[in-house]
Amino acid sequence: MKRWYAPDMLAIGSKLFAKIYKQKYHAHHNHEAHFMAREIDEWLPAGIQSIVDGNYSPRHLRRYYFSDETIDQLHLSDRILQHVLLKQLKPTFSHVMNPNCYHLHGPYGVKLATQRIRQVLQEKKPSFFIRADVRSFYKSILHHKLIKDIKQHFNDTKVHAMLEEIITNPIDTPRGTKNPCNGIALRGPLSQFFSGIFLKPLDDAFDDMQISYIRYQDDILILCQTKRQLNRCWRKMMEVLQERRLSLSRKKTRMGCIKSGFHFLGVNYLGAQTLDNTSTGHSCNESAIPFHNDQKLNVNGGGSKI
């Protein structure tokens, strides 16, 4: 596909909207999808041209409050247009993103990560692991750091301008319009891209270390041979997370001996390092290790000041 070629981009947008409209066809007659379907020859070409020209600016996000969560939702037209923009950015991923960042492969990334883990367990036979989860990751992404990262890795000023508009998009709420300095729309087409860019310093930090590192969104797995490597990896991870102004989930972060087993991306790795000794479900072999962000954990589960 030729990059920034409006007819191809228009075809991608039209196909995606047709798929969404098919799902929304029986929605209430006042649903925005019906109005957009009647006016698709106006808003879609205009939106595509704004991306080509580099002056695309999304509508405000709309915030919805539920009993168990708060959702910031993109307008349907922006979902289409940002998906088209993502298609233009994807050819750069192999040059910008770290290959150990598996969620950029889409749903297939879980299978790739699982295959990699099983291969490492069989061939390298590591003795220790760190399995970490970043707390409230998407809500904690700082806008100014993310924009700086994008400008560092992309040279196109039009891309800079459009992505900055998307990142800093105001949010309409029942209590007025908000302009937060952190957080991105979790279900937006570009959310996976933004998460890959924002934690790229963490991904890159382990490239030269003799360990196995795997990340899927905010889930991190490090497999090591020795306790010394384990402690070095923990310190390095905490240094980068602190620089990114992120913290770990105490309930979901574990470290210890491989033989005790661990759980990652819905798969239990039950200690013996074979392909067959895995199962799906929640691990019952892990025990929570309490910690604070200014502490490191030893292999036996204790905490000591760095």
Side-chain angles (χ1 to χ4, degrees):
M1 181 182 69
K2 185 178 179 181
R3 294 191 67 203
W4 309 114
Y5 183 56
D8 287 348
M9 297 167 68
L10 185 60
I12 293 171
S14 298
K15 183 178 180 180
L16 179 59
F17 179 76
K19 180 180 178 180
I20 294 174
Y21 185 59
K22 185 177 180 179
Q23 299 169 348
K24 303 288 186 182
Y25 185 76
H26 295 291
H28 190 273
H29 64 274
N30 282 331
H31 194 281
E32 62 183 13
H34 299 302
F35 294 99
M36 293 176 64
R38 291 194 290 267
E39 300 174 357
I40 190 170
D41 292 335
E42 298 177 12
W43 65 265
L44 184 57
I48 295 297
Q49 192 58 49
S50 70
I51 294 177
V52 174
D53 296 338
N55 55 24
Y56 163 71
S57 181
R59 301 190 187 192
H60 289 190
L61 295 169
R62 187 175 297 172
R63 177 165 289 178
Y64 296 94
Y65 295 93
F66 299 94
S67 59
D68 56 342
E69 64 176 338
T70 301
I71 295 177
D72 296 330
Q73 188 176 70
L74 286 166
H75 189 269
L76 181 55
S77 63
D78 290 315
R79 286 175 56 193
I80 305 293
L81 295 173
Q82 290 181 26
H83 176 82
V84 173
L85 177 58
L86 177 63
K87 287 286 188 181
Q88 303 303 305
L89 296 175
K90 272 191 174 181
T92 68
F93 285 8
S94 60
H95 305 285
V96 175
M97 301 299 189
N98 191 291
N100 294 319
C101 185
Y102 283 87
H103 68 269
L104 295 173
H105 296 280
Y108 186 61
V110 174
K111 182 177 180 180
L112 292 176
T114 302
Q115 290 175 346
R116 167 93 185 283
I117 294 168
R118 290 174 173 172
Q119 181 182 8
V120 170
L121 291 176
Q122 275 207 323
E123 297 178 0
K124 297 185 178 180
K125 301 188 184 302
S127 300
F128 304 98
F129 75 93
I130 298 173
R131 197 210 72 189
D133 181 274
V134 181
R135 182 170 57 192
S136 303
F137 175 47
Y138 287 94
K139 293 181 180 180
S140 303
I141 292 178
L142 293 173
H143 292 172
H144 74 276
K145 283 185 176 290
L146 179 57
I147 293 169
K148 183 179 178 181
D149 293 337
I150 289 170
K151 291 180 178 179
Q152 177 184 350
H153 297 294
F154 292 88
N155 296 323
D156 193 331
T157 55
K158 292 182 179 180
V159 171
H160 296 171
M162 290 188 289
L163 293 181
E164 184 169 350
E165 286 285 329
I166 294 169
I167 293 167
T168 60
N169 195 10
I171 304 171
D172 288 337
T173 76
R175 302 161 190 169
T177 301
K178 297 183 180 296
N179 291 276
C181 60
N182 61 281
I184 59 174
L186 180 59
R187 295 173 177 84
L190 292 168
S191 60
Q192 307 295 311
F193 165 72
F194 289 145
S195 69
I197 286 285
F198 194 71
L199 273 186
K200 178 175 168 60
L202 180 64
D203 302 336
D204 295 344
F206 296 98
D207 282 348
D208 297 327
M209 299 179 69
Q210 300 302 312
I211 54 93
S212 297
Y213 170 89
I214 294 116
R215 179 167 74 89
Y216 193 95
Q217 296 184 23
D218 57 351
D219 292 313
I220 301 161
L221 178 66
I222 303 173
L223 302 175
C224 315
Q225 299 293 344
T226 65
K227 289 184 181 180
R228 183 173 182 179
Q229 285 182 333
L230 186 72
N231 287 325
R232 284 183 61 203
C233 289
W234 177 262
R235 287 194 296 268
K236 176 63 70 175
M237 181 174 66
M238 295 307 298
E239 287 173 6
V240 176
L241 291 179
Q242 287 172 3
E243 186 276 327
R244 299 273 93 182
R245 302 293 189 269
L246 298 171
S247 58
L248 294 177
S249 169
R250 297 182 62 174
K251 293 183 178 179
K252 298 180 181 179
T253 297
R254 308 284 188 272
M255 64 189 299
C257 298
I258 290 285
K259 64 182 180 181
S260 65
F262 63 93
H263 180 263
F264 189 71
L265 298 180
V267 178
N268 282 340
Y269 299 88
L270 303 178
Q273 299 153 11
T274 66
L275 279 173
D276 297 329
N277 200 15
T278 60
S279 64
T280 58
H282 182 71
S283 173
C284 59
N285 293 319
E286 297 172 332
S287 56
I289 302 176
F291 68 93
H292 300 284
N293 287 334
D294 60 346
Q295 292 182 327
K296 72 175 181 179
L297 306 182
N298 59 42
V299 177
N300 294 321
S304 60
K305 292 286 183 181
I306 294 178

